[in-house]
Structures are given as C-alpha cells and as structure tokens.
Amino acid sequence: MMKHPIPKLLALLLSPVLLLLIASNAQDTARSIQIMNESSRRVEVHWVHPDTGEMVLQSTPDILHGANFALNSYIGHTFEVRELPAKKTGVCGGEEESCRVDYFTVNSNQDQVIMIRDGVEVEHTDSKTIASQSAATLLDDCKSTAKQQLRSDDAEDAASILDNLAACVQRGIAQEIEKANEEIAFQATVRKDMAALVENYTCADETVNTTEAKRTEWWDDAPSRKRRKVSVMIDRPASRIHTIENFLNAEECAAVEAAAKPLLHDATVADGSGGSKLSESRKAKQAGIKVHWDKEEEGDLIARLSRRVYNYVNHVLPFDIRENGQEDLMSIQYFGRGPDDEAPDRYMPHCDGDCTGLDFKPGNRMATIVMYCDVPEVGGATRFRNSNVHINPKQYAATFFSYIDPETMKMDSGFTEHSGCPVVEGEKKIVTQWVRLGVDNENPWNSFNTLGVKYSDAANQ
C-alpha cells in the first residue's frame, strides 16, 4: 500500500514528536459548525485573525436568507457575520442604512449551530446550551404552576405545593428522557444496519487505510524502559479502542508460536447455552498457552509479555487487574488460500464480552488485547463496524479495546463489536488476551461458562 512521504524540508524543520503533537491537538480541537441564516438579509462570514484582526472571507457565495452554511473550524476561533447591501436598493438595514455585524467564537461543545436572527443578531447554540435551555423551560413551567397554587384562595400547604412541584419536574424529565432514548434507539438501529451493509465491502477493499486516530499518546512501559506510541481511536466510558506500536517483538512471538505448535486445534465460539462449538463464523486455529509466572523473574518471554498486557490494562482502567485466575494467552492463526477460496479463514462480527449495555457480571470479560506477530500480504484487518474503525494489522503492534464503564459498571452497547476480515494471501498469527474482572485463584476464569454464569451456580438452578 503506497504511503505519501513527508516532504524533506518539512521533515527537517519539524521533529516527528512535534508533528504528532500538532496532529493530535488539531484533531482534539476541531469542530463542525452549522450556520443558518434567518435574518431576512444576505450575509457573509469572515474569520477574524487573532493577531492582526484581518478578516478572511469564509462564505462563498453569500449566505442567502433561509440558507445553511457548513463551517469547519477550531475551538477559540472567532468569526464575524456581516450584513450585505440588498441587491435592489444597494443599502443595508441598520441605522442610517449601515451594514450590521455580529460575532461568535467556537467553543468546546459539540453540535454547534449559529442562528442569524432578525437584525443580524447571532444566537449561538450547542448540545449543552440546548439541554440547559430545555431544562430551564421545564422548570419555569413547573414554577409558574406552583406560584398559581400559592396565589389561589384555596392554597394548599407549602409541603403539598413542593411535592407537586417535584412531581411536575419529574414528569417533564421522564418525558424528555423517553424522547431522547427513542431517538438514540432509532439512530443506533440505523447505524448498525448501515454497518452491516458495508462490512463485506470494507473487508474486500484493500485500499482502505487504518482509521485516523482521534489523538496520539505515549505509554511509558516501566519494566522495559520503553515509550510506546498509542493511537486512541475511540474513547468513550464503556468503549475504548487503542492501537499500540511495537507492543511485542520477534523473540516473544517465536516463544508463543513454539508453545502453541503442539496444541493447535480448530477455533470455537460460544454456543449460546454456556458451552462452545465449532462454527463457520470463525475459521482459524487456536491454542491456549499457560503462563509460567514462577519463571517471570528468570526472564521467561511469555511471562514478560503477559505482564506487559496487564500493565497496559491497568494503565487504562482503574481496576488493578492481577494475573490470578485469568484466561490463558491464546495463539490464533489464520491462513490465506488465495482470492478464489470460498470459505476463507476469518472471524465474523462478534463481541468478546457482553455488549448489550447491561450491568457487568463479576468474573466476566471486560477488555481484550490482540497482538500481531505475523501479518498477511492481503486481508486480515480488524474492523469495529459500529464504530467505523478499521485497523490494518501491523507486525508487533497491538489493538486494545475495553467494553466496560468503570464508573457505572455498565457494559458497552455494541461499539466494540468487531470482526476479523478474511485472510486472502499469507498468514495472520496473533496473540490474544481476554481480560476478566472478578476472578482470582479461588474463582478462576474456567469456573464460569460462556454465558458468564458460574458452573456451581448453574448446577443449582
């Protein structure tokens, strides 16, 4: 896949670290603005240079009354909205036929809308101000009802009026939440349907690049004394997706492959009743590898790699995860058999843990790290279709994703559902660690079935 080289002059002027800082900062502060002209006048929008005050025209052509204009900008940028003379009269609508102006500055909130009202006055709204205004309107309506009760001849006692006020607010909030939930459910259905439609097309298109990261960070891995570049793809409370460069090395991969070789067997999936089964949805070879923690101090390569996994999980999540009771490392291997293979090695869309948005069940999976040892010539991408995140495998890199909100202990609602695209040419050899919360030596991972229920509890039901 062709890469566009950075111009030599730019590379000389800017260090790689500075380039990363610039790129990540620009992405964090970028905002999309919708401008709607309801002023009955033609207007134009200018960016105001913060140092010189110079006006730079943004709207070409002019924004007519009733028209919308999309603007991509950054937090802190200021713009001037300027009235233009009417085409028939050649004059503006201000005092003494002057052209009126107003200003707005891009803030940090999402869904920003600029309404240009009569008199060329700017009304700046966004997701937070709309919610605040809606709450204020609701409260005002309830307060008005309470005041009327106080003024009436048969006024109730203060406690009853306060109860009525609280009930009024509660009803209003419940109605607003219900409306919001209906809209969220509708949009989620549309999003998931669209994601399902494009899944196969995206996997088949070898020109699709890895999704651009939302920001870039650095992880200081103390035991190895190395800094590793982390690309943050999704950063939601219950849905995090990261890639980490140079997470493992050739020596560690060789140790895992050697341990897995005599144990490889056909990969299985959960069967929906607490067990596992072979399935056409997952074609690969796999082998569980026990980690010899007693050899960690001796420099055992697999133990060293596994420790790095838990260190990164604890770097991201506040659970202080230990190795006790966790699943074995899993070596998974996919083999390409050419473009004419009708049943290529792949893994259809699935969730590693619960992705229903429900409460977390102790002892279950809540994070995953996939480490790439060998990458295929064609195919093998990891696709999070509901998040529109596409990750092409990169040798010795890793993909981390978690599917739990540490504060609410609610599970992801589908954003970390993912698939392994078909491997067409070459081999894809990965090492996977599924990380659980609530396991220990007395309650190990294999004391739970694939439904997340302890076998001992299931036997008593």
Side-chain angles (χ1 to χ4, degrees):
M1 203 172 293
M2 182 170 288
K3 305 288 185 185
H4 296 288
I6 298 173
K8 290 183 179 179
L9 179 59
L10 185 60
L12 290 172
L13 291 174
L14 297 173
S15 71
V17 173
L18 183 57
L19 284 171
L20 288 170
L21 288 173
I22 292 172
S24 62
N25 182 64
Q27 195 153 43
D28 282 346
T29 60
R31 293 293 183 271
S32 297
I33 316 295
Q34 287 292 329
I35 299 174
M36 304 177 69
N37 184 9
E38 300 293 337
S39 67
S40 301
R41 313 290 299 193
R42 286 189 307 137
V43 299
E44 59 186 13
V45 175
H46 296 255
W47 173 60
V48 183
H49 194 289
D51 298 322
T52 65
E54 177 188 0
M55 300 291 178
V56 181
L57 181 64
Q58 303 294 304
S59 52
T60 305
D62 312 327
I63 308 175
L64 301 176
H65 169 71
N68 298 348
F69 177 71
L71 178 68
N72 293 319
S73 187
Y74 299 91
I75 296 172
H77 282 204
T78 296
F79 295 86
E80 179 191 79
V81 177
R82 184 185 303 171
E83 179 185 8
L84 294 174
K87 289 184 177 180
K88 288 185 178 180
T89 64
V91 298
C92 290
E95 292 184 7
E96 299 180 356
E97 300 181 341
S98 63
C99 292
R100 294 161 290 187
V101 299
D102 204 352
Y103 298 85
F104 67 89
T105 299
V106 180
N107 63 38
S108 61
N109 297 333
Q110 302 293 337
D111 302 326
Q112 295 183 51
V113 177
I114 305 299
M115 299 293 296
I116 307 171
R117 302 296 191 183
D118 287 340
V120 193
E121 294 184 354
V122 166
E123 178 183 311
H124 189 170
T125 66
D126 54 57
S127 55
K128 289 186 178 179
T129 57
I130 290 171
S132 177
Q133 289 168 1
S134 177
T137 300
L138 169 64
L139 187 57
D140 286 345
D141 290 343
C142 293
K143 284 167 64 178
S144 176
T145 301
K147 287 178 180 178
Q148 289 175 8
Q149 291 175 338
L150 283 169
R151 287 195 294 263
S152 66
D153 294 335
D154 56 342
E156 304 174 56
D157 62 84
S160 295
I161 292 174
L162 284 174
D163 287 343
N164 291 337
L165 176 62
C168 174
V169 172
Q170 188 175 21
R171 283 194 303 272
I173 291 173
Q175 290 170 358
E176 291 298 317
I177 291 175
E178 184 178 1
K179 290 178 186 176
N181 285 339
E182 287 177 352
E183 180 63 21
I184 290 169
F186 169 73
Q187 292 189 21
T189 300
V190 172
R191 169 175 53 82
K192 290 179 179 180
D193 287 347
M194 291 177 64
L197 287 172
V198 302
E199 169 79 14
N200 289 332
Y201 295 99
T202 307
C203 278
D205 188 352
E206 283 304 307
T207 65
V208 177
N209 292 320
T210 293
T211 302
E212 186 176 355
K214 293 189 178 299
R215 69 175 186 273
T216 300
E217 303 173 346
W218 293 90
W219 173 49
D220 291 312
D221 179 23
S224 67
R225 298 180 181 178
K226 289 184 179 180
R227 298 191 81 205
R228 291 180 164 85
K229 178 183 170 184
V230 177
S231 296
V232 178
M233 305 297 193
I234 296 291
D235 190 21
R236 303 296 299 165
S239 317
R240 293 173 168 88
I241 304 173
H242 302 173
T243 61
I244 312 112
E245 291 193 2
N246 300 311
F247 190 84
L248 72 172
N249 58 39
E251 192 179 21
E252 291 163 343
C253 284
V256 170
E257 187 170 352
K261 189 173 182 180
L263 305 172
L264 285 172
H265 60 275
D266 290 336
T268 58
V269 300
D271 64 4
S273 60
S276 58
K277 64 178 182 179
L278 297 173
S279 172
E280 287 300 313
S281 69
R282 186 184 187 196
K283 291 196 64 180
K285 297 290 185 180
Q286 69 179 29
I289 302 167
K290 292 193 176 299
V291 180
H292 296 288
W293 291 108
D294 57 323
K295 297 182 179 180
E296 182 179 11
E297 295 298 324
E298 301 172 16
D300 181 84
L301 293 172
I302 295 176
R304 183 177 73 183
L305 174 61
S306 192
R307 178 64 62 199
R308 191 176 308 135
V309 166
Y310 295 118
N311 286 346
Y312 189 76
V313 172
N314 289 328
H315 166 69
V316 178
L317 299 172
F319 294 128
D320 191 24
I321 297 297
R322 305 298 177 91
E323 69 273 15
N324 309 83
Q326 295 287 343
E327 296 187 50
D328 297 339
L329 275 175
M330 187 67 71
S331 173
I332 307 173
Q333 302 181 14
Y334 301 83
F335 301 92
R337 293 177 288 274
D340 297 327
D341 185 4
E342 294 183 358
D345 284 8
R346 68 180 303 176
Y347 200 169
M348 298 294 283
H350 64 284
C351 296
D352 283 356
D354 189 348
C355 58
T356 60
L358 299 176
D359 290 338
F360 170 74
K361 292 184 286 188
N364 281 255
R365 294 174 179 174
M366 54 87 192
T368 302
I369 289 190
V370 178
M371 299 158 273
Y372 305 97
C373 284
D374 290 339
V375 298
E377 287 81 33
V378 180
T382 301
R383 178 156 185 82
F384 298 83
R385 63 182 188 176
N386 294 329
S387 297
N388 195 29
V389 171
H390 187 88
I391 299 173
N392 289 318
K394 185 176 182 180
Q395 193 170 37
Y396 306 137
T399 296
F400 163 88
F401 49 102
S402 59
Y403 24 99
I404 186 174
D405 183 336
E407 291 191 9
T408 65
M409 298 303 287
K410 298 284 187 183
M411 300 301 285
D412 169 45
S413 56
F415 291 98
T416 58
E417 180 188 77
H418 59 287
S419 59
C421 291
V423 173
V424 181
E425 300 283 356
E427 298 179 355
K428 175 183 173 182
K429 296 181 179 180
I430 61 176
V431 185
T432 297
Q433 179 68 64
W434 294 292
V435 183
R436 294 178 179 246
L437 178 61
V439 294
D440 52 32
N441 290 335
E442 288 71 40
N443 301 281
W445 70 274
N446 54 6
S447 64
F448 297 85
N449 64 25
T450 56
L451 295 175
V453 179
K454 290 198 72 173
Y455 285 110
S456 56
D457 293 339
N460 295 324
Q461 293 179 13

